[in-house]
């Protein structure tokens, strides 16, 4: 069966510090991968998605970047964190069936607080 | 463009009561997919159901049931005989063939089941 991992689970960082969040998927190959952010008490916003190694699409301009160095690894980064980067970051994967509407399965999330 | 509206921000019920969560969607695409996810206090999004636009049959899974009506662009979710463990935020989401696998989420409905 497929499993998705995220770490760290929680993170407290000062403004201006760098960020690296990692997401890995097990039990599948060539998945589509996604990064979402959920601000406190609000809905989910898609940040990045990837259909393959080195292929990243950005949904909103922001202080963050994403990379996919390996097939089942997705990394969310920032060079300098802002207060507004605080939130709950969720990674998700879906099978790349090419038919559209594939179910996305979410990881446990990382709660980031920028002080 | 796609849009999902969950008009109810919070619903409070007493255990064993039924609760219905409303979801209204907007899309110009004729092929689309609707989803419901549950987000318990732990934060992870748990997939509940996926429906495509060509399948209007209602579905029942245990205490959960879904009513899909294309005529009113609604995909409502009912929890029968609610339990405390049903307390969570529930999200309705939409993806379209034209948009690939990108999910558009509603704002979520928080359900609080009191013993």
């Amino acid at each position: 069966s497929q499993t998705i991992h995220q770490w760290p689970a929680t993170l407290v960082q000062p403004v201006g510090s760098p960020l690296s969040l990692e997401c890995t998927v097990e039990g599948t190959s060539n998945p589509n991968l996604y990064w979402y952010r959920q601000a406190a008490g609000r809905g989910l916003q898609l940040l990045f998605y990837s259909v393959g190694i080195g292929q990243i699409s950005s949904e909103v301009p922001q202080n963050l970047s994403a990379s996919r160095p390996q097939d089942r690894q997705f990394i969310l980064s920032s060079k300098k964190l802002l207060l507004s980067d605080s939130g709950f970051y969720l990674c998700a994967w879906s099978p790349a069936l090419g038919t559209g509407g594939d179910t996305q399965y979410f990881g446990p999330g990382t709660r980031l607080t920028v002080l | 463009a796609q849009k999902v509206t969950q008009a109810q921000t919070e619903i409070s019920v007493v255990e064993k009561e039924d609760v219905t969560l409303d979801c209204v969607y907007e899309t110009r695409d004729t092929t689309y997919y609707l989803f419901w996810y549950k987000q318990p206090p732990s934060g992870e999004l748990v997939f509940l159901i996926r429906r495509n636009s060509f399948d209007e049959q209602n579905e029942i899974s245990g205490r959960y049931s879904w009513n899909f009506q294309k005529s009113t662009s609604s995909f409502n979710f009912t929890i029968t005989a609610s339990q405390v463990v049903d307390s969570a935020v529930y999200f309705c989401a939409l993806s379209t063939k034209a948009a690939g696998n990108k999910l558009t989420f509603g704002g979520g409905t928080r359900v609080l089941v009191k013993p």
Side-chain angles (χ1 to χ4, degrees), chain B residues 18-46:
Chain B
D18 298 347
V19 56
T20 296
L21 311 181
D22 298 333
C23 172
V24 175
Y25 61 91
E26 297 176 28
T27 179
R28 293 183 178 179
D29 292 294
T30 57
T31 301
Y32 54 89
Y33 305 84
L34 295 164
F35 302 81
W36 276 96
Y37 286 87
K38 174 183 180 181
Q39 187 176 39
S42 62
E44 180 176 351
L45 261 73
V46 178

Side-chain angles (χ1 to χ4, degrees), chain A residues 17-47:
Chain A
S17 64
L19 172 74
S20 181
L21 302 182
E22 190 165 343
C23 170
T24 59
V25 181
E26 297 177 354
T28 187
S29 59
N30 196 33
N32 292 333
L33 296 172
Y34 312 82
W35 277 112
Y36 290 86
R37 176 169 60 200
Q38 185 178 29
R42 304 185 67 177
L44 289 94
Q45 179 186 38
L46 178 63
L47 302 175

Side-chain angles (χ1 to χ4, degrees), chain B residues 60-74:
Chain B
I60 298 175
S61 176
R63 296 184 296 107
Y64 295 169
S65 61
W66 291 269
N67 183 358
F68 177 25
Q69 292 195 340
K70 289 179 73 171
S71 61
T72 56
S73 297
S74 65

Side-chain angles (χ1 to χ4, degrees), chain B residues 85-106:
Chain B
V85 293
D86 295 326
S87 296
V89 180
Y90 292 86
F91 289 95
C92 181
L94 165 73
S95 71
T96 67
K97 188 176 181 180
N101 283 318
K102 287 185 272 187
L103 284 172
T104 298
F105 282 88

Side-chain angles (χ1 to χ4, degrees), chain A residues 67-87:
Chain A
S67 62
R68 184 170 177 175
Q70 299 180 44
D71 181 45
R72 290 169 288 175
Q73 184 185 31
F74 206 22
I75 297 173
L76 184 68
S77 305
S78 174
K79 292 182 180 179
K80 289 185 178 181
L81 283 169
L82 306 172
L83 286 174
S84 57
D85 291 324
S86 292

